[in-house]
Short mmCIF file of all heavy atoms in Angstrom, two decimals:
data_model
loop_
_atom_site.label_atom_id
_atom_site.label_comp_id
_atom_site.label_asym_id
_atom_site.label_seq_id
_atom_site.Cartn_x
_atom_site.Cartn_y
_atom_site.Cartn_z
N PHE A 106 -19.27 -33.17 56.55
CA PHE A 106 -18.12 -33.81 55.93
C PHE A 106 -18.43 -33.97 54.46
O PHE A 106 -19.19 -34.87 54.07
CB PHE A 106 -17.85 -35.16 56.60
CG PHE A 106 -16.47 -35.70 56.38
CD1 PHE A 106 -15.36 -35.13 56.97
CD2 PHE A 106 -16.29 -36.81 55.57
CE1 PHE A 106 -14.10 -35.64 56.77
CE2 PHE A 106 -15.02 -37.34 55.37
CZ PHE A 106 -13.92 -36.74 55.97
N THR A 107 -17.87 -33.09 53.65
CA THR A 107 -18.17 -33.08 52.22
C THR A 107 -17.31 -34.11 51.48
O THR A 107 -16.38 -34.68 52.05
CB THR A 107 -17.89 -31.70 51.62
OG1 THR A 107 -16.48 -31.45 51.69
CG2 THR A 107 -18.65 -30.60 52.36
N GLU A 108 -17.62 -34.31 50.22
CA GLU A 108 -16.82 -35.19 49.37
C GLU A 108 -15.39 -34.66 49.27
O GLU A 108 -14.44 -35.42 49.29
CB GLU A 108 -17.45 -35.32 47.99
CG GLU A 108 -16.70 -36.24 47.06
CD GLU A 108 -16.60 -37.68 47.57
OE1 GLU A 108 -17.54 -38.16 48.23
OE2 GLU A 108 -15.57 -38.33 47.31
N THR A 109 -15.25 -33.35 49.21
CA THR A 109 -13.91 -32.73 49.19
C THR A 109 -13.17 -33.03 50.48
O THR A 109 -11.98 -33.37 50.46
CB THR A 109 -14.02 -31.21 48.97
OG1 THR A 109 -14.68 -30.97 47.73
CG2 THR A 109 -12.66 -30.54 48.97
N ASP A 110 -13.86 -32.92 51.61
CA ASP A 110 -13.25 -33.27 52.90
C ASP A 110 -12.78 -34.72 52.89
O ASP A 110 -11.67 -35.03 53.34
CB ASP A 110 -14.25 -33.08 54.05
CG ASP A 110 -14.65 -31.64 54.29
OD1 ASP A 110 -13.85 -30.73 53.97
OD2 ASP A 110 -15.78 -31.43 54.78
N ALA A 111 -13.62 -35.61 52.38
CA ALA A 111 -13.28 -37.04 52.33
C ALA A 111 -12.05 -37.27 51.47
O ALA A 111 -11.15 -38.05 51.84
CB ALA A 111 -14.46 -37.85 51.81
N GLN A 112 -11.98 -36.60 50.33
CA GLN A 112 -10.82 -36.76 49.45
C GLN A 112 -9.54 -36.22 50.10
O GLN A 112 -8.49 -36.86 50.03
CB GLN A 112 -11.07 -36.06 48.11
CG GLN A 112 -12.11 -36.77 47.28
CD GLN A 112 -12.48 -35.98 46.02
OE1 GLN A 112 -12.00 -34.89 45.78
NE2 GLN A 112 -13.38 -36.56 45.23
N GLN A 113 -9.64 -35.07 50.74
CA GLN A 113 -8.47 -34.48 51.39
C GLN A 113 -8.01 -35.34 52.57
O GLN A 113 -6.81 -35.57 52.74
CB GLN A 113 -8.77 -33.06 51.85
CG GLN A 113 -8.92 -32.09 50.72
CD GLN A 113 -9.38 -30.71 51.16
OE1 GLN A 113 -9.91 -30.53 52.26
NE2 GLN A 113 -9.19 -29.73 50.29
N THR A 114 -8.95 -35.82 53.35
CA THR A 114 -8.59 -36.66 54.49
C THR A 114 -8.00 -37.98 54.01
O THR A 114 -6.99 -38.45 54.55
CB THR A 114 -9.83 -36.91 55.38
OG1 THR A 114 -10.31 -35.66 55.86
CG2 THR A 114 -9.50 -37.81 56.56
N GLY A 115 -8.60 -38.57 53.01
CA GLY A 115 -8.07 -39.81 52.44
C GLY A 115 -6.66 -39.63 51.91
O GLY A 115 -5.79 -40.49 52.13
N ALA A 116 -6.41 -38.52 51.23
CA ALA A 116 -5.07 -38.24 50.70
C ALA A 116 -4.07 -38.04 51.83
O ALA A 116 -2.93 -38.54 51.76
CB ALA A 116 -5.11 -37.02 49.79
N ALA A 117 -4.48 -37.34 52.87
CA ALA A 117 -3.59 -37.12 54.02
C ALA A 117 -3.23 -38.44 54.68
O ALA A 117 -2.07 -38.69 55.03
CB ALA A 117 -4.24 -36.17 55.02
N TRP A 118 -4.24 -39.31 54.84
CA TRP A 118 -3.96 -40.63 55.44
C TRP A 118 -3.06 -41.47 54.53
O TRP A 118 -2.16 -42.15 55.02
CB TRP A 118 -5.26 -41.38 55.73
CG TRP A 118 -5.85 -41.03 57.06
CD1 TRP A 118 -7.02 -40.40 57.30
CD2 TRP A 118 -5.26 -41.27 58.34
NE1 TRP A 118 -7.19 -40.23 58.66
CE2 TRP A 118 -6.13 -40.76 59.32
CE3 TRP A 118 -4.07 -41.86 58.77
CZ2 TRP A 118 -5.86 -40.83 60.69
CZ3 TRP A 118 -3.79 -41.93 60.13
CH2 TRP A 118 -4.68 -41.43 61.08
N ALA A 119 -3.29 -41.42 53.25
CA ALA A 119 -2.46 -42.20 52.33
C ALA A 119 -1.00 -41.79 52.43
O ALA A 119 -0.10 -42.64 52.45
CB ALA A 119 -2.96 -42.05 50.89
N ILE A 120 -0.74 -40.50 52.53
CA ILE A 120 0.63 -40.01 52.68
C ILE A 120 1.23 -40.50 53.98
O ILE A 120 2.37 -40.99 54.01
CB ILE A 120 0.66 -38.47 52.59
CG1 ILE A 120 0.34 -38.03 51.15
CG2 ILE A 120 1.99 -37.91 53.06
CD1 ILE A 120 0.03 -36.55 51.02
N LEU A 121 0.49 -40.36 55.07
CA LEU A 121 1.01 -40.79 56.37
C LEU A 121 1.26 -42.29 56.43
O LEU A 121 2.29 -42.73 56.98
CB LEU A 121 0.04 -40.38 57.49
CG LEU A 121 0.00 -38.90 57.83
CD1 LEU A 121 -1.05 -38.65 58.90
CD2 LEU A 121 1.36 -38.40 58.29
N ILE A 122 0.36 -43.07 55.90
CA ILE A 122 0.52 -44.52 55.91
C ILE A 122 1.74 -44.93 55.10
O ILE A 122 2.55 -45.76 55.54
CB ILE A 122 -0.76 -45.22 55.41
CG1 ILE A 122 -1.89 -45.01 56.43
CG2 ILE A 122 -0.51 -46.71 55.15
CD1 ILE A 122 -3.28 -45.35 55.90
N SER A 123 1.92 -44.33 53.95
CA SER A 123 3.10 -44.62 53.13
C SER A 123 4.39 -44.24 53.85
O SER A 123 5.36 -44.99 53.87
CB SER A 123 2.99 -43.87 51.80
OG SER A 123 4.15 -44.05 51.03
N GLU A 124 4.37 -43.07 54.45
CA GLU A 124 5.54 -42.62 55.20
C GLU A 124 5.82 -43.55 56.39
O GLU A 124 6.98 -43.89 56.66
CB GLU A 124 5.31 -41.19 55.68
CG GLU A 124 6.52 -40.54 56.30
CD GLU A 124 6.25 -39.09 56.69
OE1 GLU A 124 5.33 -38.45 56.13
OE2 GLU A 124 7.00 -38.60 57.57
N ALA A 125 4.78 -43.93 57.11
CA ALA A 125 4.95 -44.83 58.25
C ALA A 125 5.52 -46.17 57.82
O ALA A 125 6.38 -46.74 58.49
CB ALA A 125 3.62 -45.03 58.97
N ASP A 126 5.07 -46.66 56.67
CA ASP A 126 5.57 -47.94 56.17
C ASP A 126 7.06 -47.85 55.86
O ASP A 126 7.81 -48.79 56.14
CB ASP A 126 4.76 -48.37 54.95
CG ASP A 126 4.95 -49.84 54.63
OD1 ASP A 126 5.00 -50.66 55.57
OD2 ASP A 126 5.04 -50.17 53.44
N LYS A 127 7.49 -46.75 55.30
CA LYS A 127 8.92 -46.56 55.00
C LYS A 127 9.73 -46.41 56.28
O LYS A 127 10.80 -47.02 56.42
CB LYS A 127 9.11 -45.35 54.10
CG LYS A 127 8.57 -45.55 52.71
CD LYS A 127 8.65 -44.27 51.89
CE LYS A 127 7.95 -44.48 50.56
NZ LYS A 127 7.73 -43.24 49.83
N LEU A 128 9.23 -45.61 57.22
CA LEU A 128 9.97 -45.37 58.46
C LEU A 128 10.04 -46.62 59.34
O LEU A 128 11.02 -46.82 60.06
CB LEU A 128 9.36 -44.20 59.23
CG LEU A 128 9.59 -42.83 58.63
CD1 LEU A 128 8.81 -41.77 59.42
CD2 LEU A 128 11.07 -42.48 58.60
N ARG A 129 9.01 -47.45 59.30
CA ARG A 129 9.02 -48.65 60.15
C ARG A 129 10.13 -49.59 59.76
O ARG A 129 10.67 -50.32 60.59
CB ARG A 129 7.67 -49.35 60.14
CG ARG A 129 7.42 -50.15 58.91
CD ARG A 129 6.28 -51.10 58.99
NE ARG A 129 6.15 -51.72 57.70
CZ ARG A 129 6.88 -52.77 57.28
NH1 ARG A 129 7.76 -53.33 58.07
NH2 ARG A 129 6.70 -53.26 56.07
N ILE A 130 10.50 -49.58 58.48
CA ILE A 130 11.60 -50.43 58.01
C ILE A 130 12.91 -49.97 58.65
O ILE A 130 13.73 -50.80 59.05
CB ILE A 130 11.68 -50.42 56.47
CG1 ILE A 130 10.42 -51.08 55.90
CG2 ILE A 130 12.94 -51.11 55.97
CD1 ILE A 130 10.21 -50.89 54.42
#
């Protein structure tokens, strides 16, 4: 798990969490 992997995974989670927060409303 490289630093690049960590950044990509973190970015993917950030997008999903933001989207989930909007959809939950």
